[in-house]
């Protein structure tokens, strides 16, 4: 990606900030297309409108991708590779899936967390033996590491190692060193992961009737249990985009359920009582006050968005908790 920025600005003559925005936009568009294709495959025979992806578009890290620091431009391309990895694996195309795994690991090292997911999906949907899946994915990982070793200049490798020794695997002090740091870390984790996990939990019986849906939810749970503690220990959790990875297998299952709930009127304004409305506003305000961003003046904008996000989700989550939502048919129509 550094090469893309370097040679892209040199060959096109486009100023670096504008070229960065273009790279971000293309990555964002590609990510949405890949997620939509995966969602359509997960829900065969059903019409999946682009509106289904609205939760991903509105999720906290996605909203601020274009206001983040320049080192974030590779995350969207990581998301594309991981999404296509899952799509190819479950559609019985193992070798393109392995190629996406190779590219994902090159783009960002946290893609390694998805290699066990790739092993599992290949054994389940490509009908490979567990040993064949493990060996092939292990070779893919080694090739990605070898490629980076041969491609990266020695000074870049040295700088990366020095940075890792200085900051990585000690970030838990900055994530939980003070009460404000802990609040930022935990609030970001909760608002990103909990709403979608709650929907999956509420409709677990229907999801469990579909093997593919169940497998993707389990993959999401695995990545959440691995990725989240590592982010806490090795990176700054205020970089909320680092917490998104577990959502990539979960959104294609959950978002169509949310759309069906919306169409059926389960979260229509006329069904929200005054008490629920006041409770949603109070909960949003409480979470926005607990959340103490460490990003300076723009933190007020971040807090405002957290308030809107939590207040918007609260009525639906309350109905999920109290089982006031009717069952949604998640079985494929084909």
């Amino acid at each position: 990606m550094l090469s893309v920025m370097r040679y892209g600005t040199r060959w096109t003559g486009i100023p670096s900030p504008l070229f960065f925005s273009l790279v971000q936009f293309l990555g964002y568009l590609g990510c949405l297309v890949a997620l939509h294709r995966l969602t359509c495959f997960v829900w065969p025979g059903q019409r999946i409108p682009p509106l289904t992806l609205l939760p991903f578009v509105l999720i906290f890290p996605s909203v601020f991708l274009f206001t983040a620091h320049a080192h974030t431009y590779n995350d969207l391309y990581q998301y594309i590779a991981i999404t296509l990895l899952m799509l190819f694996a479950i559609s019985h195309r193992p070798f393109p899936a392995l190629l996406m795994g190779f590219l994902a690991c090159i783009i960002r090292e946290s893609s390694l967390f998805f290699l066990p997911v790739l092993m599992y999906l290949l054994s389940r949907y490509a009908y490979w033996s567990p040993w064949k899946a493990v060996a092939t994915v292990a070779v893919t990982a080694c090739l990605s590491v070898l490629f980076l070793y041969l491609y990266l200049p020695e000074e870049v490798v040295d700088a990366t190692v020095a940075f890792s020794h200085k900051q990585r695997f000690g970030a838990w002090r900055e994530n939980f060193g003070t009460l404000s740091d802990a609040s930022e870390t935990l609030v970001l984790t909760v608002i990103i992961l909990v709403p979608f996990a709650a929907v999956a939990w509420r409709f677990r019986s229907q999801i469990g009737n579909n093997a593919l849906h169940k497998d993707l939810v389990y993959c999401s749970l695995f990545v959440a249990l691995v990725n989240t503690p590592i982010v806490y220990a090795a990176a700054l959790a205020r970089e909320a985009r680092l917490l998104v990875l577990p959502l990539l297998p979960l959104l294609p299952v959950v978002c169509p359920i949310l759309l069906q709930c919306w169409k059926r009127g389960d979260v229509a304004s006329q069904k929200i009582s005054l008490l629920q409305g006041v409770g949603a506003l109070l909960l949003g305000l409480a979470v926005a006050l607990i959340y103490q961003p460490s990003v300076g003046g723009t933190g007020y904008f971040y807090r405002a968005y957290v308030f809107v996000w939590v207040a918007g989700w609260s009525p639906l989550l309350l109905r999920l908790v109290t089982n006031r939502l009717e069952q949604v048919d998640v079985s494929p129509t084909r």
Side-chain angles (χ1 to χ4, degrees), residues 142-162:
C142 292
L143 288 176
S144 65
V145 173
L146 178 62
F147 174 86
L148 290 175
Y149 176 77
L150 296 175
Y151 175 77
L152 293 177
E154 184 176 352
E155 59 270 18
V156 174
V157 176
D158 293 340
T160 302
V161 172

Side-chain angles (χ1 to χ4, degrees), residues 54 72 89 115 117 141 151 255 267 279 291:
L54 190 60
T72 67
L115 293 186
V117 170
Y151 175 77
C255 286
V267 290
Y291 172 50

Side-chain angles (χ1 to χ4, degrees), residues 38-316:
L38 178 60
T39 306
C40 291
F41 189 88
V42 170
W43 291 74
Q46 297 197 18
R47 181 178 177 274
I48 305 297
L51 184 64
T52 305
L53 299 178
L54 190 60
F56 175 79
V57 174
L58 296 178
I59 195 172
F60 186 89
S62 296
V63 170
F64 300 108
L65 278 171
F66 289 88
T67 63
H69 296 296
H71 63 264
T72 67
Y73 54 74
N74 56 355
D75 290 88
L76 289 168
Y77 292 89
Q78 177 196 24
Y79 299 164
I80 295 173
I82 288 175
T83 304
L84 292 178
L85 173 156
M86 293 185 288
L87 175 60
F88 290 140
I90 64 179
S91 60
H92 318 296
R93 290 178 283 180
F95 295 106
L98 291 168
L99 176 60
M100 289 300 107
F102 173 79
L103 293 177
C105 291
I106 290 176
I107 293 170
R108 197 164 186 87
E109 67 275 13
S110 56
S111 302
L112 292 170
F113 306 151
F114 265 84
L115 293 186
V117 170
L118 178 58
M119 296 175 192
Y120 177 74
L121 294 179
L122 288 177
S123 65
R124 286 276 289 165
Y125 296 94
Y127 309 113
W128 284 6
S129 68
W131 286 111
K132 181 179 179 181
V134 170
T136 308
V137 173
V139 169
T140 302
C142 292
L143 288 176
S144 65
V145 173
L146 178 62
F147 174 86
L148 290 175
Y149 176 77
L150 296 175
Y151 175 77
L152 293 177
E154 184 176 352
E155 59 270 18
V156 174
V157 176
D158 293 340
T160 302
V161 172
F163 175 80
S164 298
H165 284 307
K166 182 179 179 181
Q167 289 187 269
R168 292 285 172 86
F169 302 104
W172 63 269
R173 296 185 183 90
E174 296 188 64
N175 287 327
F176 297 97
T178 65
L179 185 60
S180 61
D181 291 336
S183 73
E184 181 178 35
T185 298
L186 296 177
V187 167
L188 288 174
T189 304
V190 168
I191 66 173
I192 292 170
L193 299 181
V194 167
F196 303 101
V199 175
W201 174 258
R202 172 63 181 86
F203 295 103
R204 62 190 181 279
S205 59
Q206 299 98 303
I207 290 174
N209 293 329
N210 186 299
L212 177 55
H213 293 178
K214 184 172 64 174
D215 285 339
L216 289 178
V217 170
Y218 284 154
C219 290
S220 174
L221 178 61
F222 167 79
V223 177
L225 293 176
V226 173
N227 180 71
T228 309
I230 291 180
V231 170
Y232 287 170
L236 298 179
R238 69 181 62 114
E239 303 284 349
R241 59 197 167 76
L242 300 177
L243 299 167
V244 171
L245 291 182
L247 294 182
L248 296 179
L250 188 59
L251 291 176
V253 177
V254 169
C255 286
I257 296 177
L258 289 171
L259 185 62
Q260 290 182 38
C261 291
W262 178 268
K263 286 183 176 180
R264 201 175 52 196
D266 290 321
V267 290
S269 58
Q270 61 268 25
K271 288 193 175 183
I272 300 176
S273 66
L274 178 61
L275 182 60
Q276 290 175 337
V278 173
L281 293 177
L282 291 177
L283 182 59
L285 181 61
V287 174
L289 292 176
I290 294 172
Y291 172 50
Q292 300 183 35
S294 56
V295 291
T298 54
Y300 293 105
F301 182 42
Y302 286 22
R303 270 186 167 178
Y305 194 82
V306 167
F307 166 75
V308 174
W309 177 261
V310 175
W313 271 99
S314 295
L316 176 61

